[in-house]
Every structure is written in structure tokens, then in C-alpha cells.
């Protein structure tokens, strides 16, 4: 990868903001930057940019849509050549979701993953019987209905207090 000259730093920051503001295709309430999947943006030459995205899990079907949306957003801002690379290492974890992203997920009715819970203490799978707070009423008295919901990244739960079902963005390693 070519290291951009110092004078392009402001340009890279501007273009990163544009690419980062692209909504996630599966969770349009959060941007790619808030979800933490935008890993890098490098100006390689005038009008030539490389973007690095890390999908939420290997095989994520949304990575193609994310790439196309980022390319479109940057081209609309005058970048002639946009290359989007999928970067799998280091892998994405739910710890990459920003505080603003977590707030938006909860406001949208999706229980966000708990910070610092992207992996279990022993590096094994994360337990699915965790006390997850309902994004509607705040109760921790919730039960798991299905390990998978509308996407593989989410589980379906129900609140015993308000009886509302809701998605929980699972803690992923």
C-alpha cells in the first residue's frame, strides 16, 4: 500500500467521513463508521482512493452492497477511481461499534451488544443466555426466542415485562 503524502491528510479525513456516513444496508439506522466496519481509507494518487472494509462476519452478504454504496458515495464527491478491499484481519468484533452506534441501535428497537463483550473471557463462544436489556422498557427480564433473527448477527428475544419482541445484536468475536 502506498503511503499518501502529508498534504492529503485533510482530504483523507474528508473522504473517510463521506465513506463512513454510508448507512449499513442491513441496519440503515447506523453508518459504516458507527458500526466499525470502515477500517481505512487511503488516497493513493489524485482521484484514486482505496477503502478497507471488514464485514461483521466472514461470508456476510452485505459486504457487496456496502462496497457498492461506498464507491457510489465517493464517486459522487469527485473521486474517479475507488477500490474497496475486504480486510478480514484483524476480525471485526462488536466492540468496534461506537457509543453513538449503540445508542442508535437501542433507539431503533435493537438491543445493542454490551461493550467489552466481543469475546468471552476464555476466548470461547459467547453465551446466549446473558441478561439482555429490552430496548423498549429497559427490563433485563428477557428470554431468547431464536439464536438468529433477520440477520445472522442478531438474535430474537422477548421482554417478559412489556411482552415486546426485539432483536439483540449478538456479541461477536
Amino acid at each position: 500500500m502506498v503511503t499518501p503524502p502529508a498534504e492529503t491528510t485533510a482530504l483523507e479525513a474528508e473522504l473517510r467521513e463521506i465513506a463512513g456516513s454510508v448507512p449499513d444496508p442491513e441496519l440503515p439506522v447506523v453508518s459504516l463508521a458507527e458500526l466499525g466496519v470502515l477500517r481505512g481509507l487511503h488516497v493513493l494518487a489524485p482521484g484514486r482512493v482505496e477503502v478497507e472494509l471488514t464485514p461483521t462476519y466472514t461470508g456476510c452478504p452485505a459486504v457487496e452492497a456496502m462496497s457498492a454504496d461506498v464507491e457510489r458515495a465517493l464517486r459522487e464527491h469527485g473521486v474517479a477511481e475507488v477500490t474497496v478491499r475486504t480486510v478480514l484481519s484483524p476480525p471485526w468484533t462488536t466492540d468496534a461499534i461506537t457509543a453513538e452506534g449503540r445508542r442508535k441501535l437501542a433507539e431503533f428497537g435493537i438491543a445493542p451488544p454490551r461493550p467489552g463483550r466481543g469475546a468471552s473471557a476464555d476466548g470461547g463462544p459467547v453465551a446466549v443466555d446473558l441478561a439482555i436489556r429490552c430496548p423498549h422498557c429497559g427490563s433485563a427480564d428477557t428470554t431468547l426466542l431464536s439464536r438468529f433473527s433477520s440477520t445472522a448477527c442478531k438474535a430474537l428475544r422477548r421482554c417478559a415485562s412489556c411482552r415486546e419482541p426485539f432483536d439483540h445484536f449478538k456479541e461477536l468475536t
Side-chain angles (χ1 to χ4, degrees):
M1 195 168 318
V2 178
T3 303
E7 66 266 11
T8 62
T9 302
L11 176 60
E12 284 183 338
E14 177 186 349
L15 295 176
R16 185 181 178 102
E17 188 172 318
I18 291 165
S21 69
V22 169
D24 178 77
E26 293 179 334
L27 297 165
V29 68
V30 293
S31 70
L32 298 183
E34 292 164 339
L35 192 56
V37 299
L38 177 64
R39 286 287 174 92
L41 184 142
H42 310 281
V43 175
L44 303 177
R48 188 169 159 231
V49 172
E50 179 180 77
V51 178
E52 297 170 337
L53 297 177
T54 298
T56 55
Y57 65 96
T58 305
C60 174
V63 76
E64 289 179 26
M66 286 188 270
S67 297
D69 292 347
V70 165
E71 283 183 42
R72 184 173 27 261
L74 292 172
R75 286 196 175 124
E76 286 174 0
H77 282 84
V79 180
E81 186 181 335
V82 179
T83 302
V84 180
R85 289 189 324 116
T86 300
V87 178
L88 300 178
S89 182
W92 179 89
T93 74
T94 51
D95 291 339
I97 301 174
T98 65
E100 179 67 4
R102 291 170 194 281
R103 185 194 66 74
K104 286 181 177 181
L105 287 171
E107 193 173 89
F108 190 65
I110 298 172
R114 297 175 306 163
R117 300 292 178 122
S120 67
D122 64 0
V126 176
V128 293
D129 59 348
L130 302 170
I132 304 299
R133 293 207 170 274
C134 173
H136 305 293
C137 73
S139 171
D141 188 9
T142 64
T143 57
L144 179 69
L145 297 178
S146 175
R147 292 180 75 143
F148 297 99
S149 182
S150 58
T151 66
C153 299
K154 294 181 290 193
L156 183 61
R157 302 187 74 88
R158 181 180 340 219
C159 177
S161 297
C162 71
R163 308 291 299 156
E164 289 293 323
F166 64 93
D167 282 337
H168 167 233
F169 202 114
K170 296 184 282 189
E171 288 81 7
L172 299 175
T173 58

